[in-house]
Amino acid sequence: MQSFEKTSSHHVAALQATIEQYVDPQSGARHIHMANDAAEIAFLVAFPTVPDRSDGRAHILEHLALSGSERFPVRAPFFSMLRRSTATFMNAMTYADRTAYPFATTDEQDFFNLLDVYLDASFFPQLNYLDFLQEGWRHVFDGGKLAYQGVVFNEMKGAIADPMYALHHGIIAPLFAGTTYASASGGDPLAIPELTHAMLQDFHASHYHPSQAVFMSAGRIDAATIQARIATQVLARRNDTAPRRTPALAAAWDAPREQALRIPSQQARDDEYGLQLAWLLGEMADPLAYYSVHLLAAGLLGDAGAPLRAAMESAGFGRPSRMNGQDAGMRQMVFHLGMEGLTQPEVDAAQALILSTLERVAVEGVPVATLRAAMRDLRYQQRNTESSGTPFALRRMLQALPLSLYGGDVMHAFDNEATLAALDARIADPGFFKGLVRALLDNPTRLTSRVIPDADYFTARAATETARLAAQDAALSDADRARITQDSADLAAHQALPTDKTLLPRILPGDVSAQPRPVPTVPALAGNALQFTVASNGISYARAVYDLSHSAPADWPWLDLYVDLLPDLGVGDRDFAAADAWRQVLVPSFRVGLDTTLAPNGSLRIEVGFSASGLREEHAAIAEVLSTSILDARFDETERMAFLIERLVQNKLSGLAKAGRDYALLAAGAPLSPLRDFQNRITGTPSLPFYGALKKLAQTPEGLAHVAARLAAMHALVTAVVPTRMTAGAGDDGATLAQMLAAAPAFAAASAAAPVVGASEAPARAMAAANLALHATGQVNHCVIAWPAPRVGHPDAPALAVAAELMGAALLHQALREKGGAYGGFASYSSEGGMFSMSTFRDPRLAATYADFAAALHAIAHDDFSDEQVEEAIISVIKGLDKPLSPYGDAITAWQLQRRGITMEVRQQFRTGVLTCTLARIREAVTTWLTPGAASRAAFVGDASGDLDGLALVDLVALAGQE
Ligand SMILES: [Zn+2]
């Protein structure tokens, strides 16, 4: 059956791929295929989802589509496939106007297994009523009182803990009034209970149709083979047509408007007001408009010397908003400019400052070098194969997806060179940028939001929910009560049913390679330097690493502050603004970081790394930036430091609830692992008093002098070390760049000296286990329990890795997510950190969750599990080991493994141990290591008035010394 017709084919050299476009004339279904030689084969199916209310229908449908389908009528096939597949990526995402179901794998058999499951899930889901109750929302009786429960309901309570969520939605909704963007696409927990099961079924029927669908694929696979599957499994059954759904355009305004906007705040201090200006702009599918807005943001805000950012940072009040710049998440783009950290009287001054600066730039323009650097960054991004979790091809496909759904030309997402060339010519004209700014000023569709911090934001929402429930409770008839009780019983019975997964395809331990994934050979160090040759697609990398393992624990927070602030301070004769502009012109990427690993003897290795990367044509610039930034770093701009510290402390405070799970994970792990202990000290609970004290220091000249002296001392500590230099690039590029670095002033003198090797001894660890309830205001909890465990190389390590997967799949998912309502329930073994943990994410419960952890521990040691369950757990571990990395990522990993003492033999032993693991081995390892007495517990609690299960309460806000 051949239905798709090819409409175009283009080779894109920068992507090393050919983009083929197809359409099925009957239904109008689109297929875009990216033919390339990558290790991964990727696929996605997507639909426009344009709800007109905030009841979360698109998001809950996404959850339900993955909960069982006609051909695969098993419970949670998506979660089952996570363990029956060697997929390197499996996900489903609901955006403001679309839903996408992507996956990637390296194995062709696995690809077609997953394709079958994904096609059936999206086009023919069961949309079972009981799954709707579990994943969406339901009424329950909690201690006799009516309450809400449900996975998405709790997931969204967690999502809105971030003040940026309320800020963004509070601006987008009025600006896009009358369109799908005015509703909360993920679902507002106060509106979710308005959604019925029937409404959800209707939404699926009207939105998940072949005529709406966009299929995308990538890899060493024939497009026709994929199309044949789509034709037989989908098109043959649904060959009618329906008009395509495209999000409506928002109406332009005659004149700017204003509003007051309340956002959640832990304390609502009088310096937490803000001002946001938002303009409605052209369509993001128009490439010239899209990149022009990108350039507008780069010219106004791109570096510390850019006029608008400089004006806001040196205003003497407040700081730039974290939401500034281009927002291309909707069909029409939005441009945001704003300030935060204001007192109420400063709000008007902020508006005047922004508008007067725009007026000035509309007359004066910006240096063309700034715009050229922005163009260079766009070309760097086009070549960049580094991926943060999402495979490269999928990332490009997800970028192309909105263009397809908005009726644009997807080729612009794969090949932007023609557009960039057109802009190269335009930016040379000084009138071009001035014109962009003038158009912004003249645009009447502008919303001014006066942002008000609201400490009662969540309590008010909780009160609304409680009042609503009380009214509903009072109005319930006996029949209503009986139905709710019956629903709960039916759901519990449904959740307890054994799932027959035999219908689902799977990959067996015997199907995967017995050998570890090969990693590149690490070249020998020569004169403290090593060079990698990597297929980098024309990007070159350099890194200078300073071993600070000998530093004192009291210095660690200061070292962390040093790496945070250094890139935002001056260099030599240049002040911070000039330095940032200088660096921006030279390289697309410059970073300073603090990294930790464990040396083979178990001691903590602490390193400060300076890295830069750029196009291969710019080797000299990479070497210059690294050398000069290190050699000429300066720590005398105290006013700038005060500004940066204020921003750092405020971000830390407003992010407390959002980062709640990280605080809990670090607090529970710190007593067990030197790696977690280090992280906890610099970013966890113990860092809060440091930040509180830092904020006070930043308020006086004497305090700032002290900070400046400490940072200078850290710099002296760093530069006293002889660094190891690493370079990487295509062909001889790594070697060429290495020669330039060796000759650069910061490294020339040290090249002959021996590097300082981490000298600390393996620490004797005797810290008391944690037992903490960490509190900041929010609507959900995150619970963690952890144990010390052996590291990789120990004979029990493979069994612990498999045990974590088995516990997660066979016990925790059901108890914590399906029944408990938490968004996630996990077990995890860290072979590097030497730790085993169980945890929840966005959890409505606490004491009951810890009881479930204890029950899971008992079950894993005593209950029976099938061979199939153990095999699935084995496949889950192997999947993690075999995930392909970018060529540069591979080189860095090989180097890290070598320095951690993890040889090919150790990796082989671990892999063999995993592949041959048995239930008996799992029980033995779990009984040996996960003893109740050794457990360390920490939870983040959004509401401290409930049962804390004996955890000692710590008020995070008070700890930061902010009251
Ligand atoms: Zn979700």
Side-chain angles (χ1 to χ4, degrees):
M1 173 187 264
Q2 186 60 43
S3 57
F4 283 90
E5 291 173 1
K6 191 187 266 188
T7 54
S8 73
S9 177
H10 295 284
H11 183 73
V12 184
L15 279 184
Q16 299 169 312
T18 299
I19 309 297
E20 302 163 4
Q21 296 196 65
Y22 302 84
V23 68
D24 168 41
Q26 179 87 24
S27 66
R30 291 150 282 181
H31 178 210
I32 293 138
H33 181 66
M34 181 173 171
N36 66 14
D37 274 338
E40 285 165 299
I41 327 170
F43 176 84
L44 70 79
V45 54
F47 308 91
T49 45
V50 288
D52 56 0
R53 58 199 73 187
S54 297
D55 56 14
R57 51 183 62 192
H59 182 191
I60 294 171
L61 175 57
E62 173 227 301
H63 279 236
L64 278 211
L66 305 173
S67 299
S69 61
E70 278 182 30
R71 261 181 84 192
F72 306 108
V74 301
R75 209 150 42 80
F78 177 82
F79 286 96
S80 296
M81 284 311 289
L82 284 174
R83 301 180 285 274
R84 299 169 77 89
S85 148
T86 48
T88 51
F89 186 89
M90 273 179 77
N91 211 339
M93 295 95 115
T94 309
Y95 298 86
D97 56 17
R98 59 193 181 273
T99 305
Y101 298 86
F103 69 82
T105 176
T106 54
D107 182 282
E108 195 165 321
Q109 182 199 335
D110 194 36
F111 177 84
F112 286 106
N113 288 351
L114 287 163
L115 182 64
D116 287 352
V117 172
Y118 267 62
L119 289 178
D120 209 53
S122 49
F123 288 96
F124 309 106
Q126 288 185 304
L127 306 181
N128 184 315
Y129 173 64
L130 294 173
D131 289 325
F132 171 74
L133 298 184
Q134 173 186 299
E135 295 296 317
W137 77 276
R138 64 186 181 273
H139 274 129
V140 293
F141 290 111
D142 184 7
K145 270 173 55 183
L146 193 66
Y148 293 126
Q149 186 59 285
V151 172
V152 169
F153 179 79
N154 288 316
E155 180 189 347
M156 293 315 295
K157 276 193 171 179
I160 62 174
D162 182 359
M164 298 303 284
Y165 180 95
L167 184 66
H168 187 257
H169 183 64
I171 289 168
I172 295 306
L175 205 51
F176 284 85
T179 77
T180 191
Y181 305 109
S183 53
S185 61
D188 178 341
L190 289 176
I192 287 172
E194 288 161 19
L195 181 68
T196 66
H197 182 231
M199 286 154 84
L200 186 95
Q201 289 172 311
D202 289 347
F203 191 75
H204 177 265
S206 60
H207 285 73
Y208 283 31
H209 189 277
S211 54
Q212 314 288 349
V214 176
F215 302 95
M216 293 190 174
S217 52
R220 290 171 294 188
I221 197 161
D222 190 11
T225 324
I226 300 168
Q227 288 162 6
R229 295 262 180 149
I230 296 172
T232 36
Q233 293 180 24
V234 180
L235 302 180
R237 299 183 51 193
R238 293 194 69 175
N239 58 4
D240 55 327
T241 55
R244 271 183 200 159
R245 288 175 183 275
T246 310
L249 293 171
W253 297 345
D254 295 334
R257 298 180 191 173
E258 259 195 51
Q259 67 166 354
L261 177 59
R262 306 185 84 84
I263 64 164
S265 158
Q266 292 292 333
Q267 296 168 297
R269 291 197 326 267
D270 60 9
D271 64 350
E272 288 190 88
Y273 288 80
L275 174 95
Q276 290 288 154
L277 303 178
W279 287 265
L280 183 71
L281 302 178
E283 295 200 44
M284 68 83 69
D286 171 355
L288 267 181
Y290 179 87
Y291 289 112
S292 295
V293 177
H294 182 91
L295 288 177
L296 179 65
L300 292 174
L301 303 158
D303 61 71
L308 198 57
R309 183 161 148 203
M312 291 195 267
E313 292 192 345
S314 61
F317 58 87
R319 58 188 171 271
S321 156
R322 277 165 290 164
M323 216 172 65
N324 282 345
Q326 181 181 25
D327 183 353
M330 288 76 53
R331 183 174 168 195
Q332 288 152 292
M333 293 177 285
V334 173
F335 198 73
H336 299 280
L337 288 176
M339 291 183 74
E340 59 182 38
L342 306 171
T343 63
Q344 209 169 356
E346 287 162 359
V347 171
D348 284 328
Q351 165 145 286
L353 177 72
I354 292 170
L355 293 175
S356 66
T357 308
L358 286 176
E359 286 289 355
R360 177 165 61 78
V361 182
V363 175
E364 294 174 3
V366 295
V368 72
T370 306
L371 302 178
R372 287 216 179 93
M375 297 295 292
R376 187 269 330 273
D377 286 359
L378 286 168
R379 291 187 163 100
Y380 174 85
Q381 282 314 322
Q382 176 74 6
R383 283 195 217 170
N384 189 7
T385 53
E386 290 301 296
S387 66
S388 49
T390 311
F392 176 67
L394 266 185
R395 191 152 50 88
R396 302 314 292 247
M397 283 154 59
L398 287 166
Q399 283 167 0
L401 176 61
L403 300 185
S404 176
L405 292 174
Y406 301 154
D409 180 354
V410 292
M411 281 312 296
H412 291 306
F414 293 109
D415 184 3
N416 55 14
E417 192 43 47
T419 312
L420 297 189
L423 281 169
D424 278 339
R426 291 198 193 182
I427 59 173
D429 170 9
F432 168 72
F433 192 83
K434 295 178 197 173
L436 292 178
V437 180
R438 178 52 62 199
L440 193 68
L441 283 165
D442 291 346
N443 180 348
T445 312
R446 180 181 91 202
L447 178 65
T448 301
S449 301
R450 294 164 181 278
V451 184
I452 302 162
D454 183 357
D456 293 326
Y457 188 87
F458 292 118
T459 28
R461 289 180 68 92
T464 306
E465 186 185 309
T466 309
R468 217 176 265 179
L469 281 165
Q472 288 169 358
D473 204 348
L476 286 181
S477 66
D478 287 348
D480 293 334
R481 286 180 183 278
R483 182 186 48 75
I484 292 169
T485 309
Q486 188 60 45
D487 277 351
S488 292
D490 290 350
L491 179 58
H494 176 66
Q495 290 168 336
L497 280 179
T499 2
D500 175 19
K501 290 185 292 190
T502 48
L503 286 167
L504 288 172
R506 68 168 169 143
I507 298 291
L508 292 160
D511 297 335
V512 302
S513 165
Q515 276 82 46
R517 202 174 71 83
V519 293
T521 310
V522 180
L525 264 181
N528 303 327
L530 80 168
Q531 299 117 39
F532 284 96
T533 298
V534 295
S536 67
N537 206 18
I539 290 178
S540 294
Y541 305 85
R543 188 180 286 198
V545 178
Y546 295 79
D547 193 320
L548 271 290
S549 304
H550 56 285
S551 59
D555 282 340
W556 294 349
W558 289 103
L559 269 180
D560 188 47
L561 186 69
Y562 165 80
V563 302
D564 261 346
L565 298 196
L566 187 136
D568 286 315
L569 295 173
V571 176
D573 296 342
R574 302 177 184 92
D575 67 5
F576 68 88
D580 201 20
W582 160 76
R583 212 152 27 213
Q584 186 65 30
V585 165
L586 287 178
V587 292
S589 169
F590 170 78
R591 289 204 189 104
V592 190
L594 191 54
D595 296 314
T596 50
T597 48
L598 290 187
N601 72 350
S603 66
L604 184 66
R605 187 187 279 137
I606 304 168
E607 290 169 336
V608 171
F610 292 77
S611 2
S613 60
L615 303 176
R616 64 182 302 267
E617 302 87 292
E618 304 176 315
H619 282 161
I622 296 173
E624 186 191 342
V625 158
L626 270 190
S627 174
T628 310
S629 295
I630 295 167
L631 204 61
D632 295 344
R634 53 185 273 199
F635 303 92
D636 56 349
E637 295 161 293
T638 50
E639 208 175 309
R640 174 69 173 167
M641 287 179 198
F643 169 82
L644 295 171
I645 287 169
E646 169 71 23
R647 185 175 72 180
L648 213 55
V649 175
Q650 196 47 45
N651 287 350
K652 191 120 181 132
L653 272 179
S654 66
L656 278 178
K658 188 190 176 197
R661 184 159 188 268
D662 300 328
Y663 280 94
L665 281 167
L666 288 175
L672 313 179
S673 155
L675 286 175
R676 302 296 171 110
D677 179 43
F678 180 86
Q679 274 308 321
N680 192 43
R681 285 173 193 249
I682 64 168
T683 63
T685 312
S687 74
L688 291 172
F690 174 79
Y691 279 98
L694 200 57
K695 182 174 168 140
K696 292 199 179 81
L697 285 173
Q699 284 159 354
T700 64
E702 301 75 39
L704 282 167
H706 175 73
V707 172
R710 286 306 304 257
L711 292 176
M714 290 304 111
H715 189 61
L717 200 62
V718 170
T719 49
V721 173
V722 176
T724 305
R725 303 184 310 277
M726 190 279 301
T727 51
D732 293 334
D733 287 355
T736 312
L737 185 51
Q739 283 172 7
M740 291 186 179
L741 270 193
F747 309 112
S751 288
V756 177
V757 176
S760 63
E761 288 166 20
R765 306 203 53 78
M767 286 168 70
N771 191 49
L772 301 169
L774 310 172
H775 170 62
T777 306
Q779 287 192 288
V780 288
N781 306 321
H782 312 275
C783 305
V784 183
I785 184 166
W787 290 265
R791 295 167 58 210
V792 68
H794 189 282
D796 286 344
L800 286 168
V802 180
E805 297 296 338
L806 181 62
M807 287 173 86
L811 302 164
L812 300 178
H813 183 78
Q814 286 84 340
L816 303 169
R817 176 170 164 129
E818 292 185 358
K819 295 186 184 159
Y823 180 52
F826 317 95
S828 140
Y829 163 64
S830 163
S831 68
E832 193 194 357
M835 206 175 90
F836 190 101
S837 64
M838 287 190 267
S839 60
T840 57
F841 181 50
R842 296 181 182 169
D843 188 349
R845 309 181 306 161
L846 191 139
T849 289
Y850 280 103
D852 282 340
F853 287 155
L857 197 58
H858 186 269
I860 194 76
H862 298 94
D863 289 3
D864 236 345
F865 298 90
S866 67
D867 289 348
E868 183 171 334
Q869 285 177 304
V870 174
E871 286 162 6
E872 286 186 358
I874 288 171
I875 287 297
S876 300
V877 178
I878 293 295
K879 190 170 70 171
L881 296 176
D882 287 354
K883 208 171 165 53
L885 302 172
S886 69
Y888 179 62
D890 254 342
I892 291 289
T893 302
W895 189 30
Q896 292 288 0
L897 286 172
Q898 185 197 61
R899 284 148 32 92
R900 284 166 56 200
I902 299 177
T903 59
M904 195 60 178
E905 290 70 43
V906 173
R907 294 176 64 217
Q908 181 66 63
Q909 181 198 35
F910 183 77
R911 190 176 182 95
T912 306
V914 169
L915 284 170
T916 58
C917 189
T918 60
L919 186 57
R921 283 294 292 124
I922 292 172
R923 285 183 176 151
E924 211 178 290
V926 165
T927 323
T928 306
W929 294 97
L930 311 187
T931 56
S936 183
R937 303 193 306 162
F940 173 89
V941 294
D943 173 3
S945 66
D947 177 1
L948 298 182
D949 201 41
L951 299 174
L953 185 64
V954 175
D955 186 333
L956 294 178
V957 182
L959 204 58
Q962 297 293 311
E963 68 274 38

